[in-house]
Amino acid sequence: MSLSSRDTVADGPVIRLDAVQKSFSLPNGEVFDAVRSVSLDIAQGDVFGLIGTSGAGKSTLLRLINLLERPDAGRVLVGGRDLTQLSRSELRDMRQNIGMVFQQFNLLQNASVFDNVAFALKIHGKHSRNEIDARVRECLALVGLAEKIDTYPAQLSGGQKQRVAIARALAPRPQVLLCDEPTSALDTETTRALLQTLRDINEKIGVTIVIVTHELSVVELLCRQVAIMEHGRVVERFAVDSASDAPRLSALGRELDALVRRRERDEREAQEAQDAGAARAAEVNYV
């Protein structure tokens, strides 16, 4: 069995988001616009970072790519197919082409490492037992966990759990691997090792990686392209290349600092307004 990801389309980006929008209704009756008319192309084999502060819309945008969140408007194309036009069964099959790695691993606690990785292959019933066994071993070797095949999640470190989650996502040979804050629960040393694993996977099998993060180190160590999100919009996009890493990353750091300061200012002003409103209400009650 080959480790390579699925055959890809010859022309055009592997992922194309065309004016996608997503809003959520809040308990107070207001509407929160999480993603606001975002258009984005991501090339086959790229390592693409979505970066921004908490609430910027980056995780929602990531979940639109495999329709874990269905857009209110716009188109989502992966491998040349518009996911928004697929039937339920077609979308289920297409999701085999889009692996997903979550922040909190989402492993089956009562299943061995082998069964966790095999789960994505067994669920569709299209593979023989020998095929599943071979593929699981290939994927665990790819993430450096071949010796943990009979281990259970409770016996693994956080970094090892995330490697198992990556192996599981790679088992169906996806064209795209989506990673939602995969290092946020890990320490610095483990984060570096995991990012190196993702880089090796990208180089060895050519899978396109889209990673959501708020950590500048992830961009420095892994990404080739970066989009900065703010208030549901992509406000900047640039390439991270060897000739201009330092100034571009410095600019990105300044942008993130500005986003953090702006968010803190907005939260402070909102709290001050709330306190002022409460004070006025108290005055009315006592006048």
Side-chain angles (χ1 to χ4, degrees):
M1 268 186 169
S2 170
L3 279 170
S4 299
S5 58
R6 300 183 182 197
D7 293 338
T8 60
V9 291
D11 300 313
V14 65
I15 298 170
R16 169 164 286 171
L17 303 178
D18 182 12
V20 292
Q21 300 185 100
K22 183 64 181 180
S23 299
F24 297 98
S25 297
L26 302 179
N28 62 5
E30 295 181 357
V31 174
F32 173 64
D33 297 320
V35 174
R36 308 183 187 199
S37 193
V38 169
S39 294
L40 203 61
D41 287 353
I42 299 175
Q44 170 62 36
D46 205 352
V47 182
F48 196 99
L50 292 172
I51 192 164
T53 56
S54 178
K58 54 192 186 296
S59 289
T60 300
L61 187 65
L62 189 80
R63 292 167 69 87
L64 290 175
I65 295 175
N66 62 359
L67 259 62
L68 284 180
E69 297 288 353
R70 183 171 286 272
D72 300 324
R75 299 189 305 155
V76 178
L77 291 90
V78 177
R81 301 187 69 187
D82 185 352
L83 272 56
T84 64
Q85 299 301 310
L86 300 182
S87 67
R88 182 175 297 182
S89 61
E90 288 172 332
L91 180 58
R92 184 174 61 248
D93 290 340
M94 188 63 186
R95 280 182 175 145
Q96 292 284 292
N97 196 34
I98 310 170
M100 185 86 181
V101 179
F102 298 92
Q103 178 179 348
Q104 297 298 333
F105 322 132
N106 289 8
L107 298 180
L108 303 170
Q109 294 302 307
N110 295 323
S112 67
V113 165
F114 176 92
D115 288 329
N116 267 283
V117 178
F119 180 78
L121 300 174
K122 291 179 177 179
I123 195 170
H124 286 275
K126 297 179 179 179
H127 305 276
S128 70
R129 182 176 298 179
N130 288 339
E131 288 174 334
I132 291 173
D133 183 80
R135 183 59 180 166
V136 169
R137 293 178 186 277
E138 284 177 331
C139 291
L140 287 174
L142 189 62
V143 300
L145 286 181
E147 77 284 0
K148 298 293 185 180
I149 192 167
D150 295 319
T151 306
Y152 284 79
Q155 301 168 291
L156 301 176
S157 68
Q160 289 171 333
K161 290 177 183 178
Q162 196 59 285
R163 289 171 187 268
V164 174
I166 292 169
R168 179 181 58 189
L170 293 174
R173 293 185 179 80
Q175 193 175 359
V176 172
L177 182 64
L178 307 180
C179 303
D180 191 3
E181 300 269 15
T183 63
S184 63
L186 307 177
D187 60 42
T188 301
E189 183 177 349
T190 306
T191 291
R192 284 183 171 271
L194 187 71
L195 294 176
Q196 185 60 53
T197 297
L198 287 171
R199 177 185 289 177
D200 291 343
I201 288 169
N202 171 258
E203 292 175 350
K204 288 177 181 177
I205 67 175
V207 64
T208 303
I209 297 175
V210 184
I211 183 167
V212 162
T213 184
H214 62 275
E215 301 173 78
L216 189 58
S217 62
V218 173
V219 176
E220 293 174 315
L221 295 171
L222 183 65
C223 299
R224 299 195 193 104
Q225 295 277 338
V226 176
I228 301 175
M229 293 196 68
E230 180 180 1
H231 300 307
R233 293 188 174 92
V234 172
V235 295
E236 185 178 354
R237 173 179 174 169
F238 59 82
V240 180
D241 56 62
S242 58
S244 56
D245 270 348
R248 287 183 184 274
L249 289 174
S250 177
L252 176 58
R254 289 195 300 273
E255 177 70 16
L256 286 175
D257 286 343
L259 290 175
V260 170
R261 287 196 301 272
R262 190 177 306 127
R263 178 61 60 89
E264 290 175 344
R265 183 197 65 204
D266 291 346
E267 290 177 351
R268 184 172 62 253
E269 290 177 351
Q271 185 62 53
E272 289 173 352
Q274 182 178 343
D275 292 344
R280 286 194 297 271
E283 290 176 2
V284 170
N285 289 336
Y286 284 99
V287 171

